[in-house]
Amino acid sequence: MTRKKAAVSSLELPEVNFSEDGEIRYLHLGTEWIQGSMFLDRPFDIELEYVQRMFAWLLFFPPGEVKGAHAMQLGLGAGTITKFCYKKLKMTCTAVELNPGVLHACRGWFRLPLDDERLRVVLADASLEIQKDEWRGTVDALQVDLYDEQAAAPVLDTPDFYRHCRELLAPQGCMTVNLFGRSSSYDESVEKICAAFGEDAVWAFKPTREGNAIVLAQRTASRPSREDMAQTAAALQAQWGWPASLWLKVFKPLVK
């Protein structure tokens, strides 16, 4: 989430609105804060840098096993992550969203496909939904971006929440979570994640220019060689146009 003035919409759900700036459409929840974005001519690409970094789990996942793996998003936003996992990576996708207006906006304004055998949007409180037995141990990539309309701090940020997130993951699964690295709550959030996953399983990016800091936690801690990670990052950059090769300069394990 970054700041940009919202153009208030008079569509069905006034608390959910959007603005446009050239080729980009932005989602807002009634404030100036951006909750997601979309290229108008490339609706399944990723525009925001921090959202690209939410896919750092690809550095740890065998490329040949991504198709058909299970990705879960907590917080739908503009549907950017869900759309990319579904359309580009060909994954099975589950998104958990509390606000039905956000789902309406994603389907109406942001090109989110309808549910099918590979895509399911669950309207529910994520803190409760993730405790259901049907999800436990099934998620390969868990991407958490849960902020309210003020975007001041994560709305779910407790040791129990992160413990339940870990229980969702398959043995090689990873969680990525969006935090504000310039916020006083950042260190506290990282401490809670470490308590749930173990310090040796946690990696973190330096904050983006806007202050978003992506933290990654592995279900099973590992230390891929720098050569292997550099090769994977170069492949991601070549395929998707992300600055993934530069990630390794700003993405480190908490415990070396």
Side-chain angles (χ1 to χ4, degrees):
M1 279 141 294
T2 53
R3 283 190 182 273
K4 186 177 180 65
K5 289 293 183 180
V8 177
S9 170
S10 59
L11 296 180
E12 297 176 29
L13 298 167
E15 71 275 12
V16 180
N17 44 69
F18 70 89
S19 63
E20 292 183 3
D21 183 2
E23 65 176 2
I24 302 173
R25 178 174 292 165
Y26 298 99
L27 178 73
H28 307 268
L29 297 181
T31 73
E32 62 193 15
W33 287 97
I34 290 173
Q35 301 286 344
S37 67
M38 180 185 73
F39 288 112
L40 294 174
D41 60 345
R42 289 174 286 133
F44 301 106
D45 288 354
I46 299 175
E47 181 258 336
L48 294 173
E49 181 181 18
Y50 90 85
V51 181
Q52 295 172 359
R53 292 181 177 186
M54 292 285 281
F55 286 86
W57 59 268
L58 287 166
L59 295 171
F60 302 88
F61 206 84
E65 299 178 21
V66 173
K67 182 178 179 180
H70 183 199
M72 176 178 280
Q73 296 78 45
L74 305 185
L76 188 57
T80 305
I81 293 174
T82 302
K83 291 188 300 182
F84 192 88
C85 289
Y86 177 76
K87 282 284 191 178
K88 301 286 189 175
L89 299 181
K90 306 300 183 183
M91 301 178 76
T92 296
C93 300
T94 305
V96 183
E97 172 57 48
L98 181 64
N99 186 343
V102 170
L103 175 57
H104 176 86
C106 285
R107 292 260 157 83
W109 307 333
F110 291 91
R111 301 283 297 276
L112 179 69
L114 297 174
D115 286 9
D116 61 16
E117 68 278 1
R118 283 198 302 110
L119 173 61
R120 178 183 174 190
V121 179
V122 180
L123 287 171
D125 183 330
S127 67
L128 301 177
E129 184 66 27
I130 64 174
Q131 297 183 52
K132 293 183 177 179
D133 289 342
E134 67 176 295
W135 305 122
R136 193 163 295 152
T138 71
V139 179
D140 298 296
L142 177 66
Q143 292 150 301
V144 183
D145 194 6
L146 292 166
Y147 284 80
D148 63 15
E149 64 274 12
Q150 297 303 322
V155 295
L156 295 177
D157 186 47
T158 67
D160 281 346
F161 170 70
Y162 292 120
R163 179 172 56 82
H164 293 314
C165 285
R166 185 178 187 274
E167 291 170 352
L168 290 175
L169 296 177
Q172 66 179 351
C174 294
M175 174 188 76
T176 50
V177 57
N178 175 35
L179 302 172
F180 277 144
R182 297 173 188 163
S183 166
S184 60
S185 68
Y186 173 79
D187 290 338
E188 295 176 5
S189 296
V190 171
E191 184 176 340
K192 295 168 189 174
I193 293 169
C194 288
F197 284 82
E199 287 187 351
D200 60 341
V202 179
W203 300 60
F205 281 93
K206 291 182 179 178
T208 63
R209 293 182 300 275
E210 296 79 18
N212 299 88
I214 304 306
V215 174
L216 179 144
Q218 301 172 281
R219 176 67 190 251
T220 305
S222 68
R223 288 291 184 274
S225 71
R226 187 166 185 83
E227 292 75 16
D228 286 346
M229 293 187 78
Q231 184 176 359
T232 304
L236 293 175
Q237 183 161 327
Q239 186 169 14
W240 307 121
W242 305 338
S245 292
L246 298 178
W247 288 356
L248 303 187
K249 297 181 179 180
V250 293
F251 179 62
K252 306 292 182 185
L254 292 191
V255 178
K256 295 184 179 180

